[in-house]
Amino acid sequence: MRLTVLLATAATATAALAQQEPAAPAEAAEIAPGYATDADLRDAAQGLFGVILPAAPPADGIEAARRELGAQLFFDPRMSSSGLFSCQTCHNVGMGGVDALPTSIGHGWQKGPRNAPTVYNALFNAAQFWDGRAADLAEQAMGPVQAAVEMNNTPDQVVATLNSMEPYREAFAASFPDEAEPVSFANFATAIAEFEETLVTPGAAFDRWVNGDDAAMTPEQKRGLALFMDSGCAGCHNGVNFGGHDYYPFGVVERPGAEVLPEGDRGRFAVTETASDDYVFRAAPLRNVALTPPYFHSGAVWSLPEAVDIMANAQLGTELAEADIGAIAAFLTGLTGEQPQVPHPVLPPRTDETPLPAPF
Amino acid sequence: MRLTVLLATAATATAALAQQEPAAPAEAAEIAPGYATDADLRDAAQGLFGVILPAAPPADGIEAARRELGAQLFFDPRMSSSGLFSCQTCHNVGMGGVDALPTSIGHGWQKGPRNAPTVYNALFNAAQFWDGRAADLAEQAMGPVQAAVEMNNTPDQVVATLNSMEPYREAFAASFPDEAEPVSFANFATAIAEFEETLVTPGAAFDRWVNGDDAAMTPEQKRGLALFMDSGCAGCHNGVNFGGHDYYPFGVVERPGAEVLPEGDRGRFAVTETASDDYVFRAAPLRNVALTPPYFHSGAVWSLPEAVDIMANAQLGTELAEADIGAIAAFLTGLTGEQPQVPHPVLPPRTDETPLPAPF
């Protein structure tokens, strides 16, 4: 449903762009090539992108209970078989919702297959993971817990761990009051998802500017926004998250080198087993992108301008001028929102019934 | 200095205990063997143990700045060479200040040599680490960062990492305003120590009882306290932290088995190279001990009653009755204080100058 809405918005916006007059030669009076005023640029941007709103307060006591429980589960390393890893390990709430590693370090010091995407604003993505294999945040939350290269746990052990601590049993009962067995792996995932839905980053320079504050973005950022829309970036990176809602081959025009696009990872092909999904990935959401290097599913690129350059080549067949790359990167930095203030939860103490961490 | 004070207090208390009349046979009217009233028991306890007070607000802007900076450093995994580990990894503020593992998992999935002690109330210890090899919290903070089996970093790389991010440079300048080069490894450690000094746990049942609330401890806990004092536990585990200020051989009377006391770890001998320090360890501080299994420097024992039983055998040559072990364990549970509420800090974003995590 949300996907449809976003695509419709994008289509409308594309039509609106097509109706624009061809860009006149740059004049001092223009705020960006093809846009005379902030209002002109804003009109175009509003058709393509959404604004992040602060998380709503919980609707009721159940939602409040689920958020609180979800925060505990998100931060609890006992959800991994080793006792070392929690959701927070790879989706650090103090570091833009990522781990700032090319690919995550997991159980037994194994190397994860893909760069950890940010948990911030993840609720606005149409699907989760780089290949969209999870429909929503709750389905996503079930993945890393069980992945042998990540938390290496089992649903049964997670449920046994939760059931061993009375404060968890009480929190599940309060969060899922109509259920006979509230402590379940599905409810574990639901509670984490409801906590994650609070992790949004309103107040970015872009959002403030869209909302009418002309001074919120610099002239270079406005030029970058115009380039972002008119060079084609916004064809995939649109919607409230500037991406995250549809799938595209990495290398539409020119396939990047193996370091950036490793041959062994064929992306969405592994999900759909359809030839046309070879090397297809979900367009990365670009909110807070300046906080989340390294870039791409391979995590191979640390510099935002370099990532912009690679994308322009690979997806658009365009060799951007260095100043234009800089302007687009400056604009993208304007997508950094206010980072959530998350209290570190106090976790229930283990009991004699709590499964021990895996022998080490 | 503090050590002297604590020992003097303990000596006074021991003298006070010696002056008591021999314990009369237990009567229903006694609250614990040898103590007729809460006031009697409190008199004895006050001579031996201290009460935890809430952390004082920062004395000035510098202390406030150091605490805030120290919290960021404590939570920043980029202080490790891999980018995976922070102080918080092994001293989790949501889990009693420990990692709940026998010994910590460190760089390259290596096994740490000893159980991670709690960071809570650690400022009240006379020295840090199981062997007391660090004089204070700041000296301690320099250890794990550099240990090859823990964070595996170097002071130079820590300083380079900090210098690469302007918010860190500004925070160090505000925290150490009189210094020409405020960003230093020593100041890194000082800031972490000042944050850690706020991690205290007032309000335990014991403290509330000492402060006059007779109902704060159960009858079993009071009996446990009496046993704790009169069986000899309090000979080493005294002071505000119920331990943490002096060194004793593990196995004063009978050396535990190799699983609990591995032969390869000779404790303080490695620090002093003095034969009398063979298998000598700092008496573990027992605040929040119910939250911090597994026990001993080996982390070999998960059950608090079992740990009490082992200690009575090894240190006192006493075979305690099961009910007495239970009472002492119940009393120790009354040392669980209010856990600090720690906001997860937002960390400065990396820059192009920030050293990359170690190749993986």
Side-chain angles (χ1 to χ4, degrees), chain A residues 281 314 352:
Chain A
F281 294 88
D352 290 342

Side-chain angles (χ1 to χ4, degrees), chain B residues 281-305:
Chain B
F281 295 88
R282 194 190 60 181
L286 299 182
R287 289 272 176 188
N288 301 296
V289 69
L291 302 182
T292 63
Y295 301 112
F296 304 125
H297 64 289
S298 54
V301 174
W302 287 90
S303 147
L304 184 53

Side-chain angles (χ1 to χ4, degrees), chain A residues 113-141:
Chain A
R114 292 181 189 144
N115 179 260
T118 181
V119 68
Y120 285 170
N121 309 307
L123 78 157
F124 300 123
N125 297 327
Q128 305 299 327
F129 293 119
W130 280 94
D131 53 17
R133 68 184 183 277
D136 54 31
L137 290 173
E139 191 179 335
Q140 190 281 331

